[in-house]
Amino acid sequence: EKWFEDRYASTRKAMGVLIRNRIYNNLETGIKFFNEKSGWTEVEKLKNAISSLETRLRDSQDEFKRVRADLDDSNVTHRKVQEEINSLAATKYSWTDAQFRQYQDLLQAERILQHKLVQLQQDSRHSEESVDFSLRDLMEGLRKRFHEEQLWTDRIRQMSMWSTIAILFANSLIFLFTYALRFREKAIVTSNLAAIRQDLHHQESLLSSLLQLHHQTSLRTSVIPPTPSAWE
C-alpha cells in the first residue's frame, strides 16, 4: 500500500509537470504567434534597437565632452606656454644658460601642444559628427517605432472591431437558433395538442356510438314477447 501511494504521488507529480510544461509551451507559442501577427514583435525589436542607439548616443556625448575638456585644458596650457615664451623672449639679451634651456624646453612643449591641439580638434570634429549621426539614427529609430506602434494600434483596433462584430453575429445566431427552437417546440406542442384533441374527439364519438348501440340493444331486448313455455 505504501509503495502504491508513493507510485501514485510520483506519477501525479510527473503528469502535473508535463501538463504545466505543455500549457506553458502552448501559451508561449500562442503569444508569440499573436505578437507576430499583430506587429508587436517588430515594435519590440525597434525598442531594443532604440535602447542600443540611446546607449551609443550617450557614449558619443561622453566622448565629445571628454575631447572638448582635453581641448580646453590644452588651449589653457598652450596660452600659458606662449605667455612664458613671450616673457622670456622680451629678455633674450640678458638670458642666462638656465633661461636659454628653459626657452628651448618651452618651444619644444609648444610644438607638442600644437600637435596635440590639432589632433584634439580633429577628434572633436569626429566626436561631434558621431554625436550628430547617433542623434539622427536615434530620431529615425523613434520615428520608425512610433510608426510601427501606430500600425500595431490600428491592427488591435481592427481586431477588436471584428471580434465585436463576430461576437454580435454569434449572439444573433444563438438568438435566432433559440427562437427557432422555441417556435419548433411550440409547433410540436400545438400539433400534439391537436392530435390529442382529435383522438379525444374520436374516442368520444366511438363511446357515443357504443352507448347508442347499447341503448338500442336494451330496447330490443325489452320488447321481445314471451315464449309459449313461459305461458305454461
Side-chain angles (χ1 to χ4, degrees):
E1 183 179 357
K2 180 65 175 177
W3 178 85
F4 179 77
E5 291 178 356
D6 294 339
R7 190 67 177 176
Y8 174 75
S10 61
T11 304
R12 184 177 179 181
K13 183 178 180 180
M15 290 296 295
V17 172
L18 179 63
I19 292 173
R20 283 196 300 272
N21 292 335
R22 181 170 297 180
I23 291 174
Y24 292 155
N25 291 333
N26 293 334
L27 183 61
E28 184 178 358
T29 303
I31 293 174
K32 184 178 179 181
F33 177 78
F34 176 79
N35 290 336
E36 289 178 354
K37 292 300 181 180
S38 64
W40 186 252
T41 302
E42 187 66 24
V43 174
E44 288 291 336
K45 290 180 181 179
L46 290 174
K47 283 184 177 181
N48 296 329
I50 288 172
S51 298
S52 300
L53 292 174
E54 289 176 347
T55 302
R56 192 178 75 179
L57 178 60
R58 285 193 297 269
D59 294 339
S60 299
Q61 290 174 341
D62 294 338
E63 179 66 18
F64 177 72
K65 291 178 181 179
R66 185 190 64 80
V67 172
R68 290 299 301 179
D70 291 342
L71 182 60
D72 293 338
D73 293 339
S74 297
N75 282 324
V76 172
T77 304
H78 184 257
R79 284 194 298 269
K80 289 181 179 180
V81 170
Q82 284 183 336
E83 290 175 358
E84 292 180 3
I85 290 173
N86 293 331
S87 177
L88 285 173
T91 60
K92 62 182 179 179
Y93 297 106
S94 60
W95 281 351
T96 61
D97 293 339
Q99 288 176 335
F100 180 73
R101 287 193 295 271
Q102 183 182 4
Y103 183 76
Q104 289 181 335
D105 293 337
L106 289 173
L107 290 177
Q108 181 68 22
E110 185 186 17
R111 285 193 295 269
I112 294 173
L113 285 172
Q114 286 178 349
H115 180 73
K116 183 179 181 181
L117 286 173
V118 172
Q119 185 65 37
L120 287 174
Q121 288 173 355
Q122 293 178 356
D123 294 341
S124 178
R125 287 194 298 269
H126 293 161
S127 299
E128 188 175 3
E129 290 176 356
S130 178
V131 170
D132 293 337
F133 290 153
S134 299
L135 182 60
R136 185 186 62 187
D137 293 340
L138 179 60
M139 297 302 295
E140 182 66 18
L142 290 173
R143 187 190 64 80
K144 289 181 179 179
R145 174 185 170 182
F146 177 77
H147 179 67
E148 289 295 331
E149 285 181 348
Q150 287 294 115
L151 293 177
W152 178 79
T153 304
D154 294 338
R155 293 191 189 100
I156 293 298
R157 188 180 295 112
Q158 290 178 359
M159 292 173 65
S160 299
M161 181 186 67
W162 287 112
S163 299
T164 303
I165 293 174
I167 292 172
L168 291 175
F169 182 72
N171 289 334
S172 300
L173 289 178
I174 293 172
F175 173 77
L176 292 176
F177 182 73
T178 304
Y179 181 79
L181 285 178
R182 290 181 178 178
F183 182 79
R184 185 172 178 273
E185 290 176 357
K186 185 177 180 180
I188 292 173
V189 170
T190 303
S191 177
N192 290 334
L193 288 176
I196 291 172
R197 290 192 186 98
Q198 185 177 1
D199 188 48
L200 288 175
H201 181 70
H202 179 70
Q203 294 293 334
E204 290 177 354
S205 299
L206 182 61
L207 182 59
S208 178
S209 299
L210 290 174
L211 290 174
Q212 186 177 1
L213 181 61
H214 178 71
H215 181 68
Q216 291 177 358
T217 304
S218 300
L219 291 177
R220 288 176 182 176
T221 305
S222 62
V223 296
I224 295 175
T227 58
S229 60
W231 292 346
E232 296 177 358

